[in-house]
Amino acid sequence: MRVRVLGCAGGIGGRDLRTTSLLVDHDVLIDAGTGLAELSLNELVQINHVFITHSHLDHICCLPFLADSAGALREQPIVVHALPQTIEALRTHVFNNVIWPDFEVIPTRSRPFVTFKSIGIDEPIVLDGRSIVPLPAEHIVPAVGYEVRSAAGNSLVFSGDTGPNPGLWTRVNAMPKVKGLIIETAFCNREMELAVISRHLCPSMLTDELKQLEREVPIFITHLKPGEFELTMEEVLEAAKRWTPRMLANGHVFEL
């Protein structure tokens, strides 16, 4: 299984800054931020499943464009997997015929471009031997992270947007083979108050989280804010140097 990073920044501002989107093999997407724009139309048409972490714009903004661009070129609808609250938010605020057409009934109810399926924490979705497992996240809106597990049993863990999250570590520590952990650190330490209010992490908070990790796992930092990449990573490396974290970058590929 191959996971390719299409976008991993906490904002936009140049070609290298794309918001969250991960492509699993050629047909599964985790989040649909602006990183999705990296794909060609042919690649977009091959996406059969989209797993959304939560309803915030930087994680769903290209989902409407995916439906519009690829829907008519596909034989089956794109299946969007998300928490029930996230699905309700997408229906109410995006696919509502005001912000964007309702592609659950376009072109017809019997042959829509998009269909939604609810997910639950710890309930795996198995796709051709691969498992996508929703993990708990602690965010300002209902949210999840994901474990992506290959047929060989190797896992990549994505925290999604989250503040302090004991439930994540309970699950990661119990996984047999974790090949990487992608975890957000959205703010630098001087913005710790904002991180707490918005339920994100800053470097000092990240360190407290990693102390709950009971195994050696490659750590990759995501969701850094534009203009604060260098400062935040300096603070991450100072505070969490025991774990030798690396900054995630567009184009990074995980082989599982």
Coordinates of all heavy atoms in Angstrom, one line a residue, residues 148-224:
V148 N -4.5 3.8 8.8 CA -4.5 3.2 7.5 C -3.7 2.0 7.6 O -2.5 2.0 7.8 CB -4.0 4.2 6.4 CG1 -4.0 3.5 5.0 CG2 -4.7 5.5 6.4
R149 N -4.3 0.8 7.4 CA -3.6 -0.5 7.6 C -3.5 -1.3 6.3 O -4.6 -1.5 5.7 CB -4.3 -1.3 8.7 CG -3.5 -2.5 9.1 CD -4.4 -3.4 10.1 NE -4.9 -2.5 11.2 CZ -6.0 -2.8 11.9 NH1 -6.7 -3.9 11.5 NH2 -6.4 -2.1 12.9
S150 N -2.4 -1.7 5.9 CA -2.2 -2.5 4.7 C -2.6 -3.9 4.9 O -2.8 -4.4 6.0 CB -0.8 -2.4 4.2 OG 0.1 -3.1 5.0
A151 N -2.7 -4.7 3.8 CA -3.0 -6.1 3.9 C -1.9 -6.8 4.6 O -2.2 -7.9 5.2 CB -3.2 -6.7 2.5
A152 N -0.7 -6.3 4.6 CA 0.4 -6.9 5.3 C 0.4 -6.6 6.8 O 1.3 -7.1 7.6 CB 1.7 -6.4 4.7
G153 N -0.5 -5.8 7.3 CA -0.6 -5.4 8.7 C 0.2 -4.2 9.1 O 0.2 -4.0 10.3
N154 N 0.8 -3.5 8.2 CA 1.5 -2.3 8.5 C 0.6 -1.1 8.6 O -0.3 -1.0 7.8 CB 2.6 -2.0 7.5 CG 3.6 -3.1 7.4 OD1 4.1 -3.6 8.5 ND2 4.0 -3.5 6.2
S155 N 0.8 -0.2 9.6 CA -0.1 0.9 9.9 C 0.6 2.2 9.7 O 1.7 2.4 10.1 CB -0.8 0.8 11.3 OG -1.6 -0.3 11.4
L156 N -0.2 3.2 9.2 CA 0.2 4.6 9.2 C -1.0 5.3 10.0 O -2.1 5.1 9.7 CB 0.3 5.2 7.8 CG 0.5 6.7 7.7 CD1 1.9 7.0 8.2 CD2 0.4 7.2 6.3
V157 N -0.6 6.1 11.0 CA -1.6 6.8 11.8 C -1.6 8.2 11.5 O -0.5 8.9 11.5 CB -1.3 6.5 13.3 CG1 -2.3 7.3 14.2 CG2 -1.4 5.0 13.7
F158 N -2.8 8.8 11.3 CA -2.9 10.2 11.1 C -3.8 10.8 12.2 O -5.0 10.3 12.3 CB -3.6 10.4 9.7 CG -4.0 11.8 9.4 CD1 -3.1 12.9 9.7 CD2 -5.2 12.1 8.8 CE1 -3.5 14.2 9.4 CE2 -5.6 13.4 8.5 CZ -4.7 14.5 8.8
S159 N -3.3 11.7 13.0 CA -4.1 12.2 14.1 C -5.3 13.0 13.7 O -6.2 13.2 14.5 CB -3.2 13.1 15.0 OG -2.9 14.3 14.4
G160 N -5.3 13.6 12.5 CA -6.3 14.6 12.2 C -6.1 15.8 13.0 O -5.0 16.0 13.7
D161 N -7.0 16.8 13.0 CA -6.8 18.0 13.9 C -7.3 17.6 15.3 O -8.4 17.1 15.5 CB -7.7 19.1 13.4 CG -7.2 19.8 12.1 OD1 -6.2 19.2 11.5 OD2 -7.7 20.8 11.7
T162 N -6.4 17.8 16.3 CA -6.7 17.4 17.6 C -5.9 18.2 18.7 O -4.8 18.6 18.4 CB -6.5 15.9 17.8 OG1 -7.0 15.5 19.1 CG2 -5.0 15.5 17.7
G163 N -6.6 18.3 19.8 CA -5.8 18.8 21.0 C -5.4 17.6 21.7 O -5.3 16.5 21.2
P164 N -5.1 17.7 23.0 CA -4.7 16.5 23.8 C -5.7 15.4 23.7 O -6.9 15.6 23.8 CB -4.6 17.1 25.3 CG -4.3 18.6 25.1 CD -5.0 19.0 23.8
N165 N -5.2 14.2 23.5 CA -6.0 13.1 23.0 C -5.6 11.8 23.6 O -5.0 11.0 22.9 CB -6.0 13.1 21.5 CG -7.0 12.1 20.9 OD1 -7.8 11.5 21.6 ND2 -6.9 11.9 19.6
P166 N -5.9 11.5 24.9 CA -5.4 10.2 25.5 C -5.9 9.0 24.7 O -5.2 8.0 24.6 CB -6.0 10.2 26.9 CG -6.3 11.7 27.1 CD -6.6 12.3 25.8
G167 N -7.1 9.0 24.1 CA -7.6 7.9 23.4 C -6.8 7.5 22.2 O -6.7 6.3 21.8
L168 N -6.1 8.4 21.6 CA -5.2 8.1 20.4 C -4.1 7.2 20.9 O -3.8 6.2 20.2 CB -4.7 9.4 19.8 CG -3.7 9.2 18.7 CD1 -4.3 8.6 17.5 CD2 -3.1 10.6 18.3
W169 N -3.5 7.5 22.0 CA -2.3 6.8 22.4 C -2.6 5.4 22.9 O -1.8 4.4 22.6 CB -1.5 7.6 23.5 CG -1.3 9.0 23.0 CD1 -1.9 10.1 23.4 CD2 -0.4 9.3 21.9 NE1 -1.4 11.2 22.7 CE2 -0.5 10.7 21.7 CE3 0.4 8.6 21.0 CZ2 0.2 11.4 20.7 CZ3 1.1 9.3 20.1 CH2 1.0 10.7 19.9
T170 N -3.8 5.2 23.5 CA -4.2 3.9 23.9 C -4.2 3.0 22.6 O -3.8 1.8 22.7 CB -5.6 3.9 24.5 OG1 -5.5 4.8 25.7 CG2 -6.0 2.5 24.9
R171 N -4.7 3.5 21.5 CA -4.9 2.7 20.3 C -3.6 2.5 19.6 O -3.3 1.4 19.1 CB -5.9 3.4 19.4 CG -7.3 3.2 20.0 CD -8.3 4.2 19.4 NE -9.7 4.0 19.9 CZ -10.1 4.4 21.1 NH1 -9.3 5.1 21.9 NH2 -11.4 4.2 21.5
V172 N -2.8 3.6 19.5 CA -1.5 3.4 18.8 C -0.6 2.4 19.5 O 0.1 1.6 18.9 CB -0.8 4.8 18.7 CG1 0.7 4.6 18.2 CG2 -1.6 5.7 17.8
N173 N -0.6 2.5 20.9 CA 0.3 1.6 21.6 C -0.1 0.1 21.5 O 0.7 -0.8 21.7 CB 0.2 1.9 23.1 CG 1.0 3.2 23.4 OD1 1.9 3.6 22.7 ND2 0.5 3.9 24.4
A174 N -1.4 -0.1 21.1 CA -1.9 -1.5 20.9 C -1.7 -2.0 19.5 O -2.0 -3.2 19.2 CB -3.3 -1.6 21.3
M175 N -1.3 -1.2 18.5 CA -1.2 -1.6 17.1 C 0.0 -2.4 16.9 O 1.1 -2.1 17.5 CB -1.2 -0.3 16.2 CG -2.4 0.4 16.2 SD -2.3 2.0 15.2 CE -3.8 2.8 15.6
P176 N -0.1 -3.5 16.1 CA 1.1 -4.4 16.0 C 2.3 -3.8 15.3 O 3.4 -3.9 15.8 CB 0.5 -5.6 15.1 CG -1.0 -5.5 15.2 CD -1.3 -4.0 15.5
K177 N 2.1 -3.1 14.1 CA 3.2 -2.6 13.3 C 2.9 -1.2 12.8 O 2.2 -1.1 11.9 CB 3.5 -3.6 12.2 CG 4.0 -4.9 12.6 CD 4.4 -5.8 11.4 CE 3.1 -6.3 10.6 NZ 3.5 -7.3 9.6
V178 N 3.4 -0.2 13.5 CA 3.2 1.2 13.1 C 4.4 1.7 12.4 O 5.5 1.8 13.0 CB 2.8 2.1 14.3 CG1 2.5 3.5 13.9 CG2 1.7 1.5 15.1
K179 N 4.2 2.1 11.1 CA 5.4 2.5 10.3 C 5.5 4.0 10.3 O 6.5 4.5 9.8 CB 5.2 2.0 8.9 CG 5.2 0.5 8.8 CD 6.4 -0.1 9.3 CE 6.5 -1.6 9.2 NZ 7.7 -2.3 9.7
G180 N 4.5 4.7 10.8 CA 4.6 6.2 10.9 C 3.4 6.8 11.6 O 2.3 6.2 11.6
L181 N 3.7 7.9 12.2 CA 2.6 8.7 12.9 C 2.7 10.1 12.4 O 3.7 10.8 12.6 CB 2.8 8.6 14.4 CG 2.0 9.6 15.3 CD1 0.5 9.3 15.1 CD2 2.4 9.6 16.7
I182 N 1.6 10.5 11.8 CA 1.5 11.9 11.3 C 0.6 12.6 12.4 O -0.5 12.3 12.6 CB 0.8 12.0 9.9 CG1 1.6 11.2 8.9 CG2 0.6 13.4 9.5 CD1 0.9 11.1 7.6
I183 N 1.2 13.7 13.0 CA 0.5 14.3 14.1 C 0.6 15.9 13.9 O 1.6 16.4 13.5 CB 1.0 13.9 15.5 CG1 0.1 14.5 16.6 CG2 2.5 14.2 15.6 CD1 0.3 13.9 17.9
E184 N -0.5 16.5 14.1 CA -0.6 17.9 13.9 C 0.2 18.7 15.0 O 0.2 18.3 16.2 CB -2.0 18.4 13.8 CG -2.8 18.4 15.2 CD -3.3 19.8 15.6 OE1 -2.4 20.5 16.2 OE2 -4.4 20.1 15.3
T185 N 0.7 19.8 14.6 CA 1.2 20.9 15.6 C 0.9 22.2 14.9 O 1.8 22.7 14.2 CB 2.7 20.7 15.9 OG1 2.9 19.3 16.3 CG2 3.1 21.6 17.1
A186 N -0.3 22.7 15.1 CA -0.7 23.8 14.3 C -0.2 25.2 14.7 O 0.0 26.1 13.9 CB -2.3 23.9 14.4
F187 N 0.2 25.3 16.0 CA 0.7 26.6 16.5 C 2.0 26.6 17.1 O 2.4 25.5 17.7 CB -0.4 27.2 17.5 CG -1.7 27.5 16.9 CD1 -2.8 26.6 17.0 CD2 -1.9 28.6 16.1 CE1 -4.0 26.8 16.5 CE2 -3.2 28.9 15.5 CZ -4.2 28.0 15.7
C188 N 2.7 27.7 17.2 CA 4.0 27.8 17.9 C 3.6 28.0 19.4 O 2.5 28.3 19.8 CB 4.8 28.9 17.4 SG 4.1 30.6 17.5
N189 N 4.6 27.9 20.3 CA 4.4 28.0 21.7 C 3.8 29.3 22.2 O 3.0 29.4 23.1 CB 5.6 27.7 22.5 CG 6.0 26.2 22.5 OD1 5.1 25.4 22.5 ND2 7.2 25.9 22.6
R190 N 4.1 30.4 21.5 CA 3.6 31.7 22.0 C 2.1 31.8 21.7 O 1.4 32.7 22.3 CB 4.3 32.9 21.2 CG 3.9 33.0 19.8 CD 4.8 34.1 19.1 NE 4.5 34.2 17.7 CZ 5.3 34.5 16.7 NH1 6.6 34.9 17.1 NH2 5.0 34.6 15.5
E191 N 1.5 30.9 20.9 CA 0.1 30.9 20.6 C -0.6 29.7 21.3 O -1.6 29.2 20.9 CB -0.1 30.8 19.1 CG 0.3 32.1 18.4 CD 0.1 32.1 16.9 OE1 0.1 31.0 16.3 OE2 0.0 33.1 16.3
M192 N 0.0 29.3 22.4 CA -0.5 28.1 23.2 C -2.0 28.4 23.6 O -2.8 27.4 23.5 CB 0.3 27.8 24.4 CG -0.2 26.6 25.2 SD 0.9 26.3 26.6 CE 0.1 24.8 27.3
E193 N -2.3 29.6 24.0 CA -3.7 29.8 24.4 C -4.7 29.6 23.3 O -5.7 29.0 23.5 CB -3.8 31.3 24.9 CG -5.2 31.6 25.5 CD -5.3 33.0 26.0 OE1 -4.3 33.7 26.2 OE2 -6.4 33.4 26.4
L194 N -4.3 30.0 22.1 CA -5.1 29.8 20.9 C -5.2 28.3 20.6 O -6.3 27.8 20.2 CB -4.6 30.6 19.7 CG -5.3 30.5 18.4 CD1 -6.8 30.9 18.6 CD2 -4.6 31.3 17.3
A195 N -4.1 27.6 20.7 CA -4.1 26.2 20.5 C -5.1 25.5 21.4 O -5.9 24.6 21.0 CB -2.7 25.6 20.7
V196 N -5.1 25.9 22.7 CA -6.0 25.3 23.7 C -7.4 25.6 23.4 O -8.3 24.7 23.4 CB -5.7 25.8 25.1 CG1 -6.7 25.4 26.1 CG2 -4.3 25.3 25.6
I197 N -7.7 26.8 23.0 CA -9.1 27.2 22.7 C -9.6 26.5 21.5 O -10.8 26.1 21.4 CB -9.2 28.8 22.5 CG1 -8.9 29.5 23.8 CG2 -10.5 29.2 21.9 CD1 -8.7 31.0 23.7
S198 N -8.8 26.4 20.5 CA -9.2 25.8 19.2 C -9.0 24.3 19.1 O -9.3 23.6 18.1 CB -8.5 26.5 18.0 OG -7.1 26.3 18.2
R199 N -8.4 23.7 20.2 CA -8.2 22.3 20.3 C -7.2 21.8 19.2 O -7.5 20.9 18.4 CB -9.5 21.5 20.3 CG -10.3 21.8 21.6 CD -11.4 20.8 21.8 NE -12.3 21.2 22.9 CZ -13.4 20.6 23.3 NH1 -13.8 19.6 22.5 NH2 -14.1 21.0 24.3
H200 N -6.1 22.5 19.2 CA -5.0 22.1 18.4 C -3.8 21.8 19.3 O -4.0 21.9 20.6 CB -4.6 23.1 17.4 CG -5.5 23.2 16.2 ND1 -5.4 22.3 15.2 CD2 -6.4 24.1 15.8 CE1 -6.3 22.6 14.2 NE2 -6.9 23.7 14.6
L201 N -2.6 21.5 18.8 CA -1.4 21.3 19.6 C -0.4 22.4 19.2 O -0.4 23.0 18.1 CB -0.8 20.0 19.3 CG -1.6 18.7 19.7 CD1 -0.9 17.5 19.3 CD2 -1.9 18.7 21.2
C202 N 0.5 22.7 20.2 CA 1.7 23.5 20.0 C 2.8 22.6 20.5 O 2.6 21.5 21.0 CB 1.6 24.8 20.8 SG 1.6 24.6 22.6
P203 N 4.1 23.0 20.2 CA 5.2 22.1 20.6 C 5.3 21.6 22.0 O 5.5 20.4 22.2 CB 6.4 22.9 20.2 CG 6.0 23.8 19.1 CD 4.5 24.2 19.5
S204 N 5.0 22.5 23.0 CA 5.1 22.0 24.4 C 4.0 21.0 24.6 O 4.1 20.0 25.4 CB 5.0 23.2 25.3 OG 3.7 23.9 25.2
M205 N 2.8 21.2 24.1 CA 1.7 20.2 24.2 C 2.0 18.9 23.5 O 1.6 17.9 23.9 CB 0.4 20.9 23.7 CG -0.1 22.1 24.5 SD -1.3 23.1 23.6 CE -2.7 21.9 23.7
L206 N 2.6 19.0 22.3 CA 3.0 17.8 21.6 C 3.9 16.9 22.4 O 3.7 15.7 22.4 CB 3.7 18.2 20.3 CG 4.3 17.1 19.5 CD1 3.3 16.2 18.9 CD2 5.2 17.6 18.4
T207 N 4.8 17.5 23.1 CA 5.7 16.8 24.0 C 5.0 16.0 25.0 O 5.2 14.8 25.3 CB 6.8 17.7 24.6 OG1 7.5 18.4 23.6 CG2 7.8 16.9 25.5
D208 N 4.0 16.6 25.6 CA 3.2 15.9 26.6 C 2.4 14.8 26.0 O 2.2 13.7 26.7 CB 2.2 16.9 27.3 CG 2.9 17.9 28.2 OD1 4.0 17.6 28.6 OD2 2.4 19.0 28.4
E209 N 2.0 15.0 24.8 CA 1.3 13.9 24.1 C 2.2 12.7 23.8 O 1.9 11.6 24.0 CB 0.7 14.4 22.8 CG -0.5 15.4 23.0 CD -1.7 14.7 23.7 OE1 -2.3 13.8 23.1 OE2 -1.9 15.0 24.9
L210 N 3.4 13.0 23.3 CA 4.3 11.9 22.9 C 4.8 11.1 24.1 O 5.3 10.0 23.9 CB 5.5 12.5 22.1 CG 5.1 13.1 20.7 CD1 6.4 13.7 20.0 CD2 4.5 12.0 19.8
K211 N 4.8 11.7 25.2 CA 5.2 11.0 26.4 C 4.3 9.8 26.7 O 4.7 8.9 27.4 CB 5.2 11.9 27.7 CG 6.3 12.9 27.7 CD 6.2 13.8 28.9 CE 7.4 14.9 28.9 NZ 7.2 15.8 30.0
Q212 N 3.1 9.8 26.1 CA 2.2 8.6 26.2 C 2.5 7.5 25.2 O 1.8 6.5 25.3 CB 0.8 9.1 26.1 CG 0.4 10.2 27.1 CD -1.0 10.8 26.8 OE1 -2.0 10.2 27.0 NE2 -1.0 12.1 26.5
L213 N 3.4 7.8 24.3 CA 3.7 6.8 23.3 C 4.7 5.8 23.8 O 5.8 6.2 24.3 CB 4.3 7.5 22.0 CG 4.7 6.7 20.8 CD1 3.4 6.0 20.2 CD2 5.3 7.6 19.8
E214 N 4.4 4.5 23.8 CA 5.2 3.5 24.4 C 6.0 2.7 23.5 O 6.5 1.6 23.8 CB 4.2 2.6 25.2 CG 3.5 3.2 26.3 CD 2.4 2.3 26.9 OE1 2.3 1.2 26.5 OE2 1.8 2.8 27.9
R215 N 6.3 3.2 22.3 CA 7.1 2.5 21.3 C 7.8 3.5 20.4 O 7.6 4.7 20.4 CB 6.1 1.7 20.4 CG 5.1 2.6 19.7 CD 3.9 1.8 19.2 NE 4.3 0.6 18.4 CZ 3.4 -0.3 18.1 NH1 2.2 -0.2 18.5 NH2 3.8 -1.3 17.4
E216 N 8.8 3.0 19.7 CA 9.5 3.8 18.7 C 8.8 3.9 17.4 O 8.6 2.8 16.8 CB 10.9 3.2 18.5 CG 11.8 3.2 19.7 CD 12.1 4.7 20.2 OE1 12.3 5.6 19.4 OE2 12.1 4.9 21.4
V217 N 8.4 5.1 17.0 CA 7.6 5.3 15.8 C 8.1 6.5 15.1 O 8.4 7.5 15.8 CB 6.1 5.4 16.1 CG1 5.3 5.7 14.8 CG2 5.5 4.2 16.8
P218 N 8.4 6.5 13.8 CA 8.7 7.7 13.1 C 7.6 8.7 13.2 O 6.4 8.4 12.9 CB 8.9 7.2 11.6 CG 9.2 5.8 11.7 CD 8.4 5.3 12.9
I219 N 8.0 9.9 13.6 CA 7.0 11.0 13.8 C 7.1 12.1 12.7 O 8.2 12.5 12.4 CB 7.2 11.7 15.2 CG1 7.2 10.6 16.3 CG2 6.2 12.8 15.5 CD1 5.9 10.0 16.6
F220 N 6.0 12.4 12.2 CA 5.9 13.5 11.1 C 4.9 14.5 11.5 O 3.8 14.2 11.9 CB 5.5 12.8 9.8 CG 6.4 11.8 9.3 CD1 6.3 10.5 9.7 CD2 7.5 12.2 8.4 CE1 7.2 9.5 9.2 CE2 8.3 11.2 7.9 CZ 8.2 9.9 8.3
I221 N 5.4 15.8 11.5 CA 4.6 16.9 11.9 C 3.8 17.5 10.8 O 4.4 17.8 9.7 CB 5.5 18.0 12.6 CG1 6.3 17.4 13.7 CG2 4.6 19.1 13.1 CD1 5.5 16.7 14.8
T222 N 2.5 17.8 11.0 CA 1.7 18.3 9.9 C 0.9 19.5 10.4 O 0.9 19.8 11.6 CB 0.7 17.2 9.4 OG1 0.1 17.7 8.2 CG2 -0.3 16.8 10.4
H223 N 0.2 20.2 9.5 CA -0.7 21.3 9.8 C 0.0 22.5 10.4 O -0.6 23.3 11.1 CB -1.8 20.8 10.8 CG -3.1 21.5 10.6 ND1 -3.4 22.8 11.0 CD2 -4.3 21.1 10.0 CE1 -4.6 23.1 10.7 NE2 -5.2 22.1 10.1
L224 N 1.2 22.8 10.0 CA 2.0 24.0 10.4 C 1.4 25.2 9.7 O 1.0 25.1 8.5 CB 3.4 23.9 10.1 CG 4.2 22.7 10.8 CD1 5.5 22.5 10.1 CD2 4.4 23.1 12.2

